[in-house]
Amino acid sequence: MSNYDVKDIKLADGGRLKIEWAEREMPVLRQIKERFAKEQPLKGMRISACLHVTTETANLMKTLQAGGADVVLTASNPLSTQDETAASLVTHDEIPVYAIKGEDNITYYKHINAAIDHKPHFTMDDGADLVNVLHTKRREVLSGVVAGTEETTTGVIRLHAMAADGALNYPIIAINDALTKHFFDNRYGTGQSTLDGIIRATNVLLAGKVFVVAGYGWCGRGLASRARGMGSNVIVTEVDPLKALEAVMDGFRVMKMEDAAKIGDIFVTLTGDINVIDEHHFAVMKDASIVCNSGHFNVEINIPSLDKMSKTKRLVRPFVEEYITKDNRRIYILGEGRLINLASAEGHPASVMDMSFANQALSLEYLTKNAAKMEKKVYSVPEAIDQNIAALKLAAMGVSCDTLTAEQVKYLGSWEEGT
Ligand code: ADE
């Protein structure tokens, strides 16, 4: 194969072992792969996927390929690629991959364009960068695209804005909206993998630290509960009064970032918004504060402002940059402000990605049958798919749950019976 761009093709064998390791924890996707291999529901379909290039994503790519699809993969973030995984997909599965960990922005977009050159019938995105380039710079390819999927909260928000502007040219299923996605991937996945990223980057003890979580969405609440479990004293900052109230009643201290900035030891942003940690927050932080982001884009921390406030900066460990401010405080930025769980760790564990990617595979199958009837807007994952994935996951875990009796079904459907 010549049509790929990865760091080092010789890494392939190590990558294959890790892909197999992840597959052990992905029983739902495995079952889908077996069925796809028999039924070939994606036969003849060209798919361009723009996802984090991880061992879990590799298993999704192999599932789509088993279903008959002609797949290419490009990175959805410059710092999240696992180079061994990329090499293995090219060598052992003949899947073209365009992704190199640490690539610059020019290369990142060159890779997205290479995936678009594949002339996809379907797009699969995580953050909507592929869809954005298709709609703004590669419109000549748009007419051939039938439908797509979007993995993450940030991407779904961008797509809703496109649809509201009448700018979206084909239907897209928001995988993030499936309950079997955000209840588990966003909450338990982000909770664990963000701590994993911070620990691998810094090796700091979390017990006894003041740990500030910005944003109490599904990701933020997962992280807050996991950080508390590690013995941190957790503070939550929020802009939504309802979520702030939930955080209070979940037992967290809630305050404004300008107050939290003065007392925090470790800060993590998970809001999807810009400049959540800004110049006036850096100005009051304690010496040796650690600051990182677990939201999709590297916009949540205003690093350019910290640059201006600082007299020096240096890399003191992989993924740990030390800034010395002009008033002689050390501030540590992890992973260049990019999502720390994928920059310095391996992203969410396979067991939750199993459900997220089962939603991707089954939604794509659904689109092959239904896209022609759908409008150019953002759709939720069909409820039947979501429920089916929950049932399959539970069965794979060897857990049974009750079913309603006929009497209970009748009771729930009636309105006459009261006190
Ligand atoms: N997003 C977060 N964790 C991930 C993983 N392990 N693979 C792909 N996308 C992810």
Side-chain angles (χ1 to χ4, degrees):
M1 260 179 74
S2 57
N3 51 339
Y4 63 85
D5 191 15
V6 302
K7 178 155 187 218
D8 181 358
I9 209 69
K10 292 195 289 300
L11 298 171
D13 290 351
R16 177 151 70 175
L17 285 174
K18 289 187 175 168
I19 293 168
E20 284 171 12
W21 179 256
E23 194 194 21
R24 287 172 50 253
E25 289 272 274
M26 304 183 87
V28 179
L29 197 62
R30 249 183 358 245
Q31 283 182 49
I32 295 170
K33 186 174 166 202
E34 278 163 27
R35 179 172 67 74
F36 273 17
K38 283 194 215 110
E39 297 176 6
Q40 296 288 290
L42 309 177
K43 195 162 181 56
M45 299 297 164
R46 285 191 302 274
I47 300 172
S48 296
C50 178
L51 300 171
H52 299 297
V53 180
T54 65
T55 53
E56 293 76 25
T57 300
N59 280 298
L60 173 62
M61 295 299 106
K62 289 168 64 142
T63 302
L64 304 180
Q65 187 183 53
D70 176 3
V71 196
V72 303
L73 174 63
T74 186
S76 60
N77 186 287
L79 210 51
S80 62
T81 297
Q82 296 165 0
D83 291 316
E84 292 176 318
T85 301
S88 177
L89 281 174
V90 171
T91 305
H92 299 302
D93 303 293
E94 298 205 355
I95 293 177
V97 181
Y98 303 92
I100 298 173
K101 188 169 178 108
E103 63 196 14
D104 60 19
N105 258 29
I106 292 171
T107 312
Y108 176 73
Y109 280 104
K110 192 181 89 190
H111 285 162
I112 287 186
N113 274 292
I116 293 174
D117 291 342
H118 189 52
K119 302 206 167 49
H121 300 110
F122 295 95
T123 61
M124 210 170 239
D125 226 336
D126 187 334
D129 279 347
L130 178 76
V131 168
N132 182 271
V133 174
L134 251 177
H135 282 73
T136 52
K137 305 207 171 63
R138 299 294 306 274
R139 293 192 68 84
E140 83 281 3
V141 181
L142 257 185
S143 58
V145 183
V146 178
T149 60
E150 167 54 52
E151 171 79 4
T152 201
T153 320
T154 296
V156 172
I157 291 169
R158 282 177 103 186
L159 293 173
H160 277 298
M162 279 179 83
D165 274 355
L168 189 63
N169 212 54
Y170 55 86
I172 298 198
I173 293 188
I175 303 301
N176 191 66
D177 292 356
L179 304 183
T180 47
K181 201 279 186 180
H182 67 261
F183 276 6
F184 304 95
D185 166 318
N186 300 31
R187 179 167 40 176
Y188 306 116
T190 308
Q192 177 165 324
S193 63
T194 301
L195 289 189
D196 186 14
I198 294 168
I199 292 168
R200 288 199 209 190
T202 64
N203 197 27
V204 293
L205 183 73
L206 297 177
K209 294 283 191 306
V210 177
F211 193 107
V212 181
V213 176
Y216 205 64
W218 287 103
C219 295
R221 66 190 61 197
L223 178 61
S225 82
R226 266 56 198 155
R228 174 160 63 191
M230 294 294 279
S232 287
N233 180 334
V234 178
I235 294 173
V236 170
T237 69
E238 242 308 330
V239 291
D240 177 338
L242 188 80
K243 289 183 181 154
L245 189 58
E246 277 187 281
V248 170
M249 298 226 180
D250 285 344
F252 298 109
R253 275 195 291 168
V254 175
M255 62 184 76
K256 292 184 175 197
M257 181 57 86
E258 63 197 50
D259 298 319
K262 295 178 198 150
I263 51 178
D265 297 305
I266 300 171
F267 297 82
V268 188
T269 53
L270 313 92
T271 70
D273 214 337
I274 193 165
N275 295 341
V276 175
I277 296 190
D278 212 340
E279 185 173 348
H280 61 289
H281 302 125
F282 285 126
V284 295
M285 278 183 189
K286 296 192 300 193
D287 178 41
S289 295
I290 292 173
V291 182
C292 63
N293 166 53
S294 212
H296 187 79
F297 287 119
N298 60 334
V299 296
E300 306 207 14
I301 306 170
N302 188 349
I303 298 178
S305 79
L306 181 60
D307 250 318
K308 281 197 211 119
M309 296 164 69
S310 301
K311 49 185 187 189
T312 59
K313 71 173 176 188
R314 59 178 183 150
L315 201 65
V316 291
R317 288 166 62 97
F319 308 107
V320 184
E321 199 143 45
E322 180 190 69
Y323 288 74
I324 310 268
T325 59
K326 289 174 189 155
D327 59 0
N328 285 321
R329 285 170 303 126
R330 293 162 298 169
I331 293 180
Y332 296 101
I333 300 284
L334 307 188
E336 302 164 19
R338 298 192 188 277
L339 14 76
I340 193 60
N341 59 341
L342 282 143
S344 64
E346 294 172 66
H348 304 348
S351 182
V352 288
M353 295 314 294
D354 187 26
M355 288 185 279
S356 307
F357 286 165
N359 275 292
Q360 286 277 12
L362 296 183
S363 293
L364 207 66
E365 181 184 34
Y366 175 89
L367 286 170
T368 61
K369 296 179 190 146
N370 296 288
K373 296 177 275 191
M374 293 164 74
E375 292 172 49
K376 297 172 178 180
K377 61 181 201 186
V378 183
Y379 286 84
S380 295
V381 173
E383 201 184 329
I385 291 182
D386 211 359
Q387 290 287 333
N388 182 30
I389 291 171
L392 289 173
K393 187 72 175 176
L394 213 52
M397 295 167 88
V399 179
S400 314
C401 65
D402 285 323
T403 48
L404 294 173
T405 62
E407 180 193 34
Q408 287 170 330
V409 172
K410 184 161 173 269
Y411 178 80
L412 291 176
S414 66
W415 52 271
E416 292 95 341
E417 281 184 56
T419 311

